[in-house]
C-alpha cells in the first residue's frame, strides 16, 4: 500500500491502517483465522474539510472510523491527529485528545441512554473532562440545544419523547459540547426520512462553517456524499479503491468499482437515462479475500495480472489516487466494456 504524502494543512493522517478480528473455534477457543475488515487503508483529511468515505455494506467504513478513535484497537498502521500519533498515547493522553475528536453515531435510537434526560446526555462529556461547574455546564447545554434547533425545555425530557431526527440533533449537540476540531459522522442520516436527511445535512454544514469543524463522513449513499463532501474515498472489501476531489470523482471515476457505484445514482429527471452497470457475483468474504486485486472476481474487465498481483494505490492524476492495474499514468482509463476512454 502506497503512502499518501501528508500536507501542512492535514489534520488527520491515516497510514496503512489495519484491523483484523480473530475467528476462534474448538474447545480451547484458539484463533484459527482472521477477518481482515480493514487491510492497509491510507488517506488524509485536511483541516476544515469534509472527507466522504463510501462503499458497500461490510467494506470496513465504520471499522475505519471506530479504529481511528480507538474505540477498537488497530491491528497495524498508524494514525496521527494534529501531528500526534493516536495509537502511541497513553490513557490520560487519549482522554485529552478525545476532547478534540468526537463521533455522531448512525442509530439515533440506540446511541442515547434512555435512562438519562437529554441535558445530562449532552453534559456527560463536560462532566468527565471536568469542564465548568454545574451552572456553566447547564449554560453550555442550553447553547448547544439552540445550535441544533431544539428548545431549552428539551433538556429535561428523555430520548423516547423525541423523533428520530430530533434524536440525531441531540447526538450532534453532544458531539459539539466539548468544542472539538474533528467529528466522525458515522452514517448520521441513513436511519432518517429523506426530508429529515436534508435538514440534518444542512445543519452539519452550517455548524462546520460556524465552528471550523473537520468531518469524516461515512456513508453508502453517494448522493448524500456528493452533497456534503469536499473529497471522497471509495472502499471495497477493506481496501481503498479511489480517492479524489468530489467534482473530479463524480465527473471522472477511474476505478471500475467506482464507475459501477456511480451508475446506480438515481437521476431526478425522467427524460434522462443512465446506463446501469450491474456487478455480477457475491462480495467475497473478508475472512478469505481474493488474491491480487480484491475486486477482480466481480470486475468485467479484469485480466490475469488482476488476480495475480495487488495493484498499487497510486496518484494517476493530480490529487486523484487509484488502485487499478488498468489505469495508467497517461490519464487513460478503461470503461466497463473494455474500451479505452
Amino acid at each position: 500500500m502506497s503512502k499518501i504524502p501528508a500536507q501542512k494543512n492535514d489534520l488527520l493522517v491515516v497510514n496503512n491502517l489495519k484491523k483484523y478480528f480473530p475467528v476462534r473455534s474448538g474447545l480451547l477457543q484458539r484463533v484459527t483465522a482472521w477477518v481482515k475488515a480493514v487491510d492497509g487503508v491510507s488517506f488524509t483529511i485536511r483541516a476544515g474539510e469534509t472527507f466522504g468515505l463510501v462503499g458497500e455494506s461490510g467494506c470496513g467504513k465504520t471499522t475505519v472510523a471506530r479504529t481511528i478513535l480507538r474505540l477498537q484497537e488497530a491491528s497495524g498502521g498508524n494514525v496521527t491527529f494534529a501531528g500526534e500519533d493516536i495509537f502511541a498515547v497513553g490513557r490520560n493522553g487519549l482522554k485529552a485528545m478525545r476532547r478534540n475528536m468526537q463521533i455522531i453515531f448512525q442509530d439515533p435510537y440506540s446511541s442515547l441512554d434512555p435512562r438519562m434526560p437529554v441535558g445530562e446526555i449532552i453534559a456527560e462529556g463536560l462532566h468527565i473532562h471536568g469542564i465548568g461547574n454545574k451552572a456553566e455546564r447547564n449554560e453550555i447545554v442550553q447553547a448547544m440545544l439552540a445550535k441544533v434547533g431544539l428548545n431549552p425545555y428539551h433538556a429535561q425530557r428523555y430520548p423516547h419523547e423525541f423523533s428520530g431526527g430530533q434524536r440525531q440533533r441531540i447526538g450532534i449537540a453532544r458531539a459539539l459540547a466539548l468544542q472539538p476540531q474533528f467529528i466522525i459522522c458515522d452514517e448520521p442520516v441513513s436511519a432518517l426520512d429523506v426530508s429529515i436527511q436534508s435538514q440534518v445535512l444542512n445543519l452539519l454544514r452550517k455548524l462546520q462553517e460556524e465552528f471550523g469543524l473537520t468531518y469524516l463522513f461515512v456513508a453508502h449513499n453517494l448522493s448524500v456524499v456528493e452533497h456534503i463532501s469536499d473529497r471522497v474515498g471509495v472502499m471495497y472489501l477493506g481496501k481503498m479503491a479511489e480517492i479524489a476531489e468530489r467534482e473530479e470523482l463524480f465527473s471522472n471515476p477511474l476505478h471500475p468499482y467506482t464507475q459501477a457505484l456511480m451508475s446506480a445514482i438515481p437521476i431526478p429527471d425522467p427524460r434522462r437515462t443512465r446506463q446501469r452497470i450491474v456487478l455480477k457475483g457475491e462480495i467475497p468474504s473478508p475472512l478469505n479475500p481474493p488474491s491480487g486485486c480484491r475486486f477482480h472476481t466481480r470486475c468485467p474487465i479484469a485480466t490475469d495480472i488482476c488476480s495475480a498481483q495487488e495493484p498499487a494505490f497510486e496518484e494517476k492524476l493530480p490529487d486523484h489516487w487509484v488502485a487499478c492495474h488498468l489505469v495508467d499514468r497517461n490519464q487513460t482509463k478503461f470503461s466497463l466494456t473494455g474500451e479505452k476512454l
Side-chain angles (χ1 to χ4, degrees):
M1 174 61 69
S2 301
K3 179 178 178 180
I4 298 178
Q7 307 294 328
K8 289 183 178 180
N9 61 338
D10 286 339
L11 181 65
L12 187 84
V13 179
V14 179
N15 181 37
N16 200 27
L17 181 65
K18 298 179 180 179
K19 177 58 183 176
Y20 300 163
F21 294 96
V23 177
R24 302 179 184 275
S25 60
L27 184 63
L28 299 178
Q29 289 294 289
R30 293 175 176 170
V31 177
T32 57
W34 294 90
V35 176
K36 298 181 178 180
V38 178
D39 193 16
V41 167
S42 299
F43 61 92
T44 64
I45 303 179
R46 300 160 187 164
E49 80 166 350
T50 299
F51 185 90
L53 189 60
V54 301
E56 294 172 288
S57 296
C59 71
K61 307 184 300 294
T62 295
T63 303
V64 167
R66 290 176 174 268
T67 306
I68 287 173
L69 293 179
R70 283 183 63 179
L71 299 178
Q72 298 169 335
E73 292 296 333
S75 303
N78 61 76
V79 178
T80 59
F81 176 77
E84 188 171 3
D85 190 344
I86 295 175
F87 298 161
V89 299
R91 182 176 180 179
N92 293 333
L94 182 61
K95 180 180 178 181
M97 186 176 289
R98 279 183 172 162
R99 283 192 60 177
N100 282 320
M101 304 175 68
Q102 292 293 302
I103 184 170
I104 301 168
F105 294 98
Q106 176 180 359
D107 188 354
Y109 294 91
S110 64
S111 62
L112 303 178
D113 191 334
R115 300 166 296 180
M116 296 175 63
V118 166
E120 291 185 15
I121 290 174
I122 296 174
E124 187 175 18
L126 300 171
H127 179 74
I128 291 173
H129 288 275
I131 298 174
N133 54 37
K134 185 175 181 179
E136 292 170 338
R137 289 196 289 267
N138 286 336
E139 288 182 8
I140 295 174
V141 169
Q142 297 297 330
M144 292 301 104
L145 286 172
K147 292 293 184 185
V148 298
L150 297 176
N151 296 314
Y153 63 84
H154 286 147
Q156 309 304 320
R157 294 187 175 182
Y158 287 82
H160 72 271
E161 301 179 66
F162 296 90
S163 66
Q166 288 175 319
R167 291 187 188 203
Q168 199 60 291
R169 290 173 185 267
I170 294 168
I172 294 171
R174 176 176 59 185
L176 283 176
L178 292 172
Q179 298 183 351
Q181 293 177 269
F182 174 65
I183 296 179
I184 291 178
C185 306
D186 184 13
E187 303 206 34
V189 298
S190 63
L192 306 178
D193 293 338
V194 175
S195 60
I196 305 300
Q197 286 184 13
S198 61
Q199 295 177 18
V200 173
L201 290 173
N202 291 334
L203 174 63
L204 289 172
R205 295 187 69 173
K206 177 183 176 182
L207 294 171
Q208 183 177 37
E209 294 175 1
E210 183 174 350
F211 294 100
L213 299 171
T214 302
Y215 291 148
L216 170 59
F217 195 93
V218 178
H220 62 266
N221 188 327
L222 285 167
S223 298
V224 170
V225 170
E226 184 179 14
H227 174 72
I228 197 171
S229 300
D230 298 302
R231 287 191 302 137
V232 181
V234 180
M235 282 188 66
Y236 181 80
L237 203 64
K239 294 279 190 180
M240 194 67 80
E242 188 166 0
I243 295 177
E245 298 283 344
R246 176 194 59 204
E247 293 182 359
E248 166 68 13
L249 186 76
F250 280 83
S251 64
N252 184 34
L254 298 182
H255 198 283
Y257 176 61
T258 310
Q259 293 178 39
L261 290 181
M262 297 300 180
S263 75
I265 302 176
I267 300 177
D269 186 346
R271 295 168 297 181
R272 296 177 56 195
T273 59
R274 175 181 283 153
Q275 183 181 1
R276 182 74 168 89
I277 301 170
V278 180
L279 298 177
K280 299 180 180 180
E282 296 294 328
I283 302 175
S285 170
L287 182 63
N288 185 27
S291 61
C293 174
R294 294 192 174 182
F295 184 60
H296 85 266
T297 57
R298 303 172 71 197
C299 181
I301 58 172
T303 62
D304 291 341
I305 191 174
C306 299
S307 59
Q309 181 180 333
E310 181 179 345
F313 195 56
E314 298 177 325
E315 189 176 18
K316 306 293 186 176
L317 295 172
D319 206 23
H320 194 152
W321 295 72
V322 188
C324 181
H325 292 297
L326 303 182
V327 180
D328 61 34
R329 291 184 179 273
N330 295 321
Q331 304 180 9
T332 300
K333 67 176 181 179
F334 284 78
S335 72
L336 292 186
T337 61
E339 299 176 350
K340 278 193 175 184
L341 299 178

